[in-house]
């Protein structure tokens, strides 16, 4: 991005409204998750609490409140930083949304345990343009993480998908 483009990030992006909208979503997710059974609530509660904390920091860094500059410097936020100096095209954003939609479709059909490593490997290979060995290593790493954390440590059976759930589509 050219030097003049750095300061021209759209106000819709730099205002506090994007993190406020996400904060409302995270709080809603937390409230809904509290109604789940104890085991089913573990992960959504952890994600929503972490999301709420990070969003509070994000909102704080976008204000002129005391300490906002320190939060921005420590957290690496800000739209003038080298890492944030890009304005992706609509096609690029649509492609990212397509990857997410494809991931959810894959999760629905084959389950989270199989879909996450497949998604990670495909993304690293196709978007990251890495070798098959690197992509396969990433996929295996994601699979090992899921099995280790969710299946063994948390004793949380991840959703197996329509193809591997008894009753398939009729179970929904």
């Amino acid at each position: 991005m050219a030097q003049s483009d750095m300061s021209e990030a759209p106000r819709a992006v730099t205002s506090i409204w994007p993190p406020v909208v996400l904060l409302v979503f995270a709080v809603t997710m937390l409230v809904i998750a509290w109604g789940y059974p104890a085991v089913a609530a573990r992960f959504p509660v952890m994600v929503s609490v972490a999301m709420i904390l990070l969003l509070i920091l994000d909102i704080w860094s976008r204000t002129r409140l005391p300490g906002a500059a320190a939060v921005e410097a420590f957290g690496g936020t800000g739209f003038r930083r080298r890492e944030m100096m890009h304005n992706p095209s609509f096609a690029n954003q649509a492609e990212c949304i397509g990857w997410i939609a494809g991931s959810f479709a894959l999760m629905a059909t084959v389950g989270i345990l199989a879909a996450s490593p497949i998604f990670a490997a495909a993304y690293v290979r196709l978007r990251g343009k890495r070798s098959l060995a690197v992509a396969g290593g990433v996929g295996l790493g994601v699979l090992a993480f899921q099995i280790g954390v969710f299946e063994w440590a948390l004793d949380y059976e991840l959703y197996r998908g329509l193809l591997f759930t008894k009753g398939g589509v009729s179970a929904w």
Side-chain angles (χ1 to χ4, degrees), residues 22-44:
L22 289 173
L23 183 63
V24 169
F25 172 76
V27 169
T28 303
M29 189 170 76
L30 179 64
V31 169
I32 291 170
W34 279 117
Y36 292 168
V39 172
R42 284 182 200 158
F43 187 67

Side-chain angles (χ1 to χ4, degrees), residues 68-144:
V71 171
E72 183 178 331
F74 181 76
T77 61
F79 294 94
R80 295 190 198 313
R81 293 185 177 272
R82 178 175 49 92
E83 297 84 8
M84 296 294 286
M85 295 181 340
H86 67 286
N87 224 349
S89 67
F90 179 77
N92 187 279
Q93 294 178 51
E95 183 181 352
C96 289
I97 291 171
W99 274 97
I100 294 167
S103 174
F104 279 110
L106 194 59
M107 284 183 198
T109 54
V110 298
I112 296 170
L113 194 61
S116 296
I118 292 169
F119 171 82
Y123 195 84
V124 167
R125 175 73 176 142
L126 300 173
R127 283 286 285 177
K129 299 185 181 3
R130 300 294 187 240
S131 68
L132 279 174
V134 170
V138 168
L140 288 173
V142 169
L143 180 62

